[in-house]
mmCIF file of all heavy atoms in Angstrom:
data_model
loop_
_atom_site.group_PDB
_atom_site.id
_atom_site.type_symbol
_atom_site.label_atom_id
_atom_site.label_comp_id
_atom_site.label_asym_id
_atom_site.label_seq_id
_atom_site.Cartn_x
_atom_site.Cartn_y
_atom_site.Cartn_z
ATOM 1 N N GLY P 69 -78.642 1.159 74.918
ATOM 2 C CA GLY P 69 -78.827 -0.225 75.371
ATOM 3 C C GLY P 69 -80.111 -0.459 76.139
ATOM 4 O O GLY P 69 -80.669 -1.545 76.101
ATOM 5 N N ALA P 70 -80.625 0.519 76.836
ATOM 6 C CA ALA P 70 -81.801 0.284 77.668
ATOM 7 C C ALA P 70 -83.031 -0.043 76.840
ATOM 8 O O ALA P 70 -83.916 -0.765 77.277
ATOM 9 C CB ALA P 70 -82.061 1.516 78.545
ATOM 10 N N ASN P 71 -83.119 0.541 75.626
ATOM 11 C CA ASN P 71 -84.315 0.352 74.804
ATOM 12 C C ASN P 71 -84.095 -0.591 73.627
ATOM 13 O O ASN P 71 -85.046 -0.930 72.936
ATOM 14 C CB ASN P 71 -84.791 1.705 74.263
ATOM 15 C CG ASN P 71 -85.122 2.676 75.387
ATOM 16 O OD1 ASN P 71 -85.769 2.288 76.353
ATOM 17 N ND2 ASN P 71 -84.691 3.933 75.245
ATOM 18 N N ALA P 72 -82.849 -1.003 73.345
ATOM 19 C CA ALA P 72 -82.547 -1.787 72.136
ATOM 20 C C ALA P 72 -82.777 -3.271 72.380
ATOM 21 O O ALA P 72 -82.604 -3.768 73.476
ATOM 22 C CB ALA P 72 -81.094 -1.558 71.716
ATOM 23 N N VAL P 73 -83.208 -3.962 71.303
ATOM 24 C CA VAL P 73 -83.319 -5.412 71.321
ATOM 25 C C VAL P 73 -81.962 -6.011 70.952
ATOM 26 O O VAL P 73 -81.301 -5.534 70.038
ATOM 27 C CB VAL P 73 -84.393 -5.880 70.317
ATOM 28 C CG1 VAL P 73 -84.461 -7.396 70.270
ATOM 29 C CG2 VAL P 73 -85.748 -5.295 70.706
ATOM 30 N N GLU P 74 -81.557 -7.018 71.686
ATOM 31 C CA GLU P 74 -80.221 -7.608 71.490
ATOM 32 C C GLU P 74 -80.066 -8.189 70.082
ATOM 33 O O GLU P 74 -81.031 -8.722 69.520
ATOM 34 C CB GLU P 74 -80.004 -8.698 72.531
ATOM 35 C CG GLU P 74 -78.600 -9.263 72.535
ATOM 36 C CD GLU P 74 -78.426 -10.303 73.636
ATOM 37 O OE1 GLU P 74 -78.045 -9.917 74.759
ATOM 38 O OE2 GLU P 74 -78.662 -11.497 73.363
ATOM 39 N N PRO P 75 -78.887 -8.098 69.479
ATOM 40 C CA PRO P 75 -78.662 -8.722 68.166
ATOM 41 C C PRO P 75 -78.907 -10.239 68.246
ATOM 42 O O PRO P 75 -78.716 -10.853 69.294
ATOM 43 C CB PRO P 75 -77.193 -8.428 67.862
ATOM 44 C CG PRO P 75 -76.799 -7.355 68.802
ATOM 45 C CD PRO P 75 -77.677 -7.451 69.996
ATOM 46 N N ILE P 76 -79.335 -10.811 67.117
ATOM 47 C CA ILE P 76 -79.604 -12.265 67.060
ATOM 48 C C ILE P 76 -78.581 -12.905 66.127
ATOM 49 O O ILE P 76 -78.444 -12.495 64.967
ATOM 50 C CB ILE P 76 -81.029 -12.543 66.547
ATOM 51 C CG1 ILE P 76 -82.049 -11.890 67.488
ATOM 52 C CG2 ILE P 76 -81.269 -14.044 66.409
ATOM 53 C CD1 ILE P 76 -83.471 -11.984 66.974
ATOM 54 N N LEU P 77 -77.879 -13.892 66.623
ATOM 55 C CA LEU P 77 -76.866 -14.584 65.817
ATOM 56 C C LEU P 77 -77.542 -15.368 64.692
ATOM 57 O O LEU P 77 -78.461 -16.151 64.928
ATOM 58 C CB LEU P 77 -76.058 -15.537 66.707
ATOM 59 C CG LEU P 77 -74.897 -16.284 66.051
ATOM 60 C CD1 LEU P 77 -73.878 -15.318 65.461
ATOM 61 C CD2 LEU P 77 -74.230 -17.203 67.077
ATOM 62 N N ARG P 78 -77.095 -15.107 63.462
ATOM 63 C CA ARG P 78 -77.681 -15.786 62.303
ATOM 64 C C ARG P 78 -77.130 -17.218 62.191
ATOM 65 O O ARG P 78 -75.955 -17.455 62.457
ATOM 66 C CB ARG P 78 -77.355 -15.017 61.020
ATOM 67 C CG ARG P 78 -78.172 -13.768 60.848
ATOM 68 C CD ARG P 78 -77.664 -12.891 59.723
ATOM 69 N NE ARG P 78 -77.347 -13.652 58.506
ATOM 70 C CZ ARG P 78 -76.930 -13.062 57.374
ATOM 71 N NH1 ARG P 78 -76.807 -11.738 57.320
ATOM 72 N NH2 ARG P 78 -76.643 -13.789 56.318
ATOM 73 N N PRO P 79 -77.980 -18.194 61.769
ATOM 74 C CA PRO P 79 -77.488 -19.575 61.639
ATOM 75 C C PRO P 79 -76.397 -19.720 60.587
ATOM 76 O O PRO P 79 -75.534 -20.576 60.711
ATOM 77 C CB PRO P 79 -78.743 -20.373 61.265
ATOM 78 C CG PRO P 79 -79.722 -19.369 60.770
ATOM 79 C CD PRO P 79 -79.420 -18.100 61.505
ATOM 80 N N ASP P 80 -76.453 -18.845 59.538
ATOM 81 C CA ASP P 80 -75.384 -18.900 58.532
ATOM 82 C C ASP P 80 -74.262 -17.929 58.856
ATOM 83 O O ASP P 80 -73.377 -17.687 58.025
ATOM 84 C CB ASP P 80 -75.947 -18.595 57.138
ATOM 85 C CG ASP P 80 -76.458 -17.162 57.028
ATOM 86 O OD1 ASP P 80 -76.711 -16.526 58.081
ATOM 87 O OD2 ASP P 80 -76.597 -16.667 55.892
ATOM 88 N N GLY P 81 -74.305 -17.372 60.087
ATOM 89 C CA GLY P 81 -73.284 -16.387 60.460
ATOM 90 C C GLY P 81 -72.268 -16.919 61.437
ATOM 91 O O GLY P 81 -71.442 -16.165 61.962
ATOM 92 N N ILE P 82 -72.317 -18.234 61.712
ATOM 93 C CA ILE P 82 -71.438 -18.809 62.732
ATOM 94 C C ILE P 82 -70.184 -19.387 62.095
ATOM 95 O O ILE P 82 -70.273 -20.173 61.155
ATOM 96 C CB ILE P 82 -72.182 -19.901 63.530
ATOM 97 C CG1 ILE P 82 -73.415 -19.314 64.219
ATOM 98 C CG2 ILE P 82 -71.256 -20.565 64.546
ATOM 99 C CD1 ILE P 82 -74.329 -20.353 64.831
ATOM 100 N N VAL P 83 -69.056 -18.984 62.624
ATOM 101 C CA VAL P 83 -67.775 -19.583 62.239
ATOM 102 C C VAL P 83 -67.175 -20.180 63.508
ATOM 103 O O VAL P 83 -66.998 -19.468 64.507
ATOM 104 C CB VAL P 83 -66.819 -18.546 61.619
ATOM 105 C CG1 VAL P 83 -65.472 -19.193 61.290
ATOM 106 C CG2 VAL P 83 -67.439 -17.931 60.370
ATOM 107 N N PHE P 84 -66.891 -21.471 63.504
ATOM 108 C CA PHE P 84 -66.373 -22.126 64.708
ATOM 109 C C PHE P 84 -64.877 -21.844 64.873
ATOM 110 O O PHE P 84 -64.128 -21.856 63.887
ATOM 111 C CB PHE P 84 -66.593 -23.633 64.631
ATOM 112 C CG PHE P 84 -68.027 -24.040 64.777
ATOM 113 C CD1 PHE P 84 -68.743 -24.519 63.693
ATOM 114 C CD2 PHE P 84 -68.673 -23.920 66.003
ATOM 115 C CE1 PHE P 84 -70.065 -24.878 63.824
ATOM 116 C CE2 PHE P 84 -70.008 -24.282 66.143
ATOM 117 C CZ PHE P 84 -70.708 -24.757 65.051
ATOM 118 N N PRO P 85 -64.463 -21.622 66.100
ATOM 119 C CA PRO P 85 -63.018 -21.428 66.338
ATOM 120 C C PRO P 85 -62.226 -22.685 65.978
ATOM 121 O O PRO P 85 -62.687 -23.809 66.206
ATOM 122 C CB PRO P 85 -62.938 -21.140 67.845
ATOM 123 C CG PRO P 85 -64.328 -20.740 68.230
ATOM 124 C CD PRO P 85 -65.243 -21.480 67.329
ATOM 125 N N ALA P 86 -61.059 -22.475 65.407
ATOM 126 C CA ALA P 86 -60.196 -23.610 65.089
ATOM 127 C C ALA P 86 -59.559 -24.161 66.359
ATOM 128 O O ALA P 86 -59.356 -23.444 67.335
ATOM 129 C CB ALA P 86 -59.107 -23.171 64.106
ATOM 130 N N VAL P 87 -59.269 -25.472 66.336
ATOM 131 C CA VAL P 87 -58.623 -26.095 67.498
ATOM 132 C C VAL P 87 -57.161 -25.684 67.513
ATOM 133 O O VAL P 87 -56.446 -25.866 66.512
ATOM 134 C CB VAL P 87 -58.746 -27.631 67.427
ATOM 135 C CG1 VAL P 87 -57.985 -28.276 68.576
ATOM 136 C CG2 VAL P 87 -60.205 -28.043 67.442
ATOM 137 N N PRO P 88 -56.687 -25.113 68.593
ATOM 138 C CA PRO P 88 -55.282 -24.691 68.648
ATOM 139 C C PRO P 88 -54.338 -25.885 68.526
ATOM 140 O O PRO P 88 -54.664 -27.012 68.891
ATOM 141 C CB PRO P 88 -55.153 -24.045 70.031
ATOM 142 C CG PRO P 88 -56.557 -23.774 70.472
ATOM 143 C CD PRO P 88 -57.402 -24.820 69.836
ATOM 144 N N ARG P 89 -53.171 -25.637 67.970
ATOM 145 C CA ARG P 89 -52.167 -26.701 67.866
ATOM 146 C C ARG P 89 -51.664 -27.105 69.247
ATOM 147 O O ARG P 89 -51.253 -28.239 69.463
ATOM 148 C CB ARG P 89 -51.008 -26.247 66.990
ATOM 149 C CG ARG P 89 -51.390 -26.050 65.530
ATOM 150 C CD ARG P 89 -50.186 -25.678 64.697
ATOM 151 N NE ARG P 89 -50.553 -25.526 63.291
ATOM 152 C CZ ARG P 89 -49.690 -25.202 62.340
ATOM 153 N NH1 ARG P 89 -48.414 -24.972 62.658
ATOM 154 N NH2 ARG P 89 -50.095 -25.077 61.099
ATOM 155 N N GLU P 90 -51.692 -26.154 70.151
ATOM 156 C CA GLU P 90 -51.268 -26.444 71.518
ATOM 157 C C GLU P 90 -52.184 -27.492 72.129
ATOM 158 O O GLU P 90 -53.409 -27.452 71.956
ATOM 159 C CB GLU P 90 -51.321 -25.150 72.334
ATOM 160 C CG GLU P 90 -50.865 -25.300 73.780
ATOM 161 C CD GLU P 90 -51.032 -24.002 74.554
ATOM 162 O OE1 GLU P 90 -51.310 -22.972 73.909
ATOM 163 O OE2 GLU P 90 -50.897 -24.038 75.783
ATOM 164 N N ASN P 91 -51.605 -28.471 72.817
ATOM 165 C CA ASN P 91 -52.377 -29.562 73.396
ATOM 166 C C ASN P 91 -53.108 -29.084 74.654
ATOM 167 O O ASN P 91 -52.573 -29.107 75.758
ATOM 168 C CB ASN P 91 -51.459 -30.748 73.733
ATOM 169 C CG ASN P 91 -52.238 -31.955 74.223
ATOM 170 O OD1 ASN P 91 -53.449 -32.040 74.024
ATOM 171 N ND2 ASN P 91 -51.545 -32.870 74.862
ATOM 172 N N ILE P 92 -54.364 -28.618 74.456
ATOM 173 C CA ILE P 92 -55.175 -28.108 75.565
ATOM 174 C C ILE P 92 -56.397 -29.015 75.719
ATOM 175 O O ILE P 92 -57.112 -29.257 74.752
ATOM 176 C CB ILE P 92 -55.638 -26.659 75.301
ATOM 177 C CG1 ILE P 92 -54.412 -25.750 75.111
ATOM 178 C CG2 ILE P 92 -56.523 -26.152 76.434
ATOM 179 C CD1 ILE P 92 -54.785 -24.343 74.686
ATOM 180 N N GLN P 93 -56.650 -29.525 76.909
ATOM 181 C CA GLN P 93 -57.785 -30.399 77.146
ATOM 182 C C GLN P 93 -59.013 -29.635 77.628
ATOM 183 O O GLN P 93 -60.134 -29.935 77.219
ATOM 184 C CB GLN P 93 -57.409 -31.481 78.164
ATOM 185 C CG GLN P 93 -56.410 -32.488 77.630
ATOM 186 C CD GLN P 93 -56.924 -33.220 76.396
ATOM 187 O OE1 GLN P 93 -58.004 -33.801 76.399
ATOM 188 N NE2 GLN P 93 -56.141 -33.170 75.327
#
Side-chain angles (χ1 to χ4, degrees):
N71 301 316
V73 177
E74 187 177 270
I76 300 174
L77 184 59
R78 284 169 45 177
D80 66 341
I82 300 170
V83 177
F84 289 109
V87 176
R89 293 183 178 180
E90 182 184 350
N91 185 17
I92 301 173
Q93 291 301 306

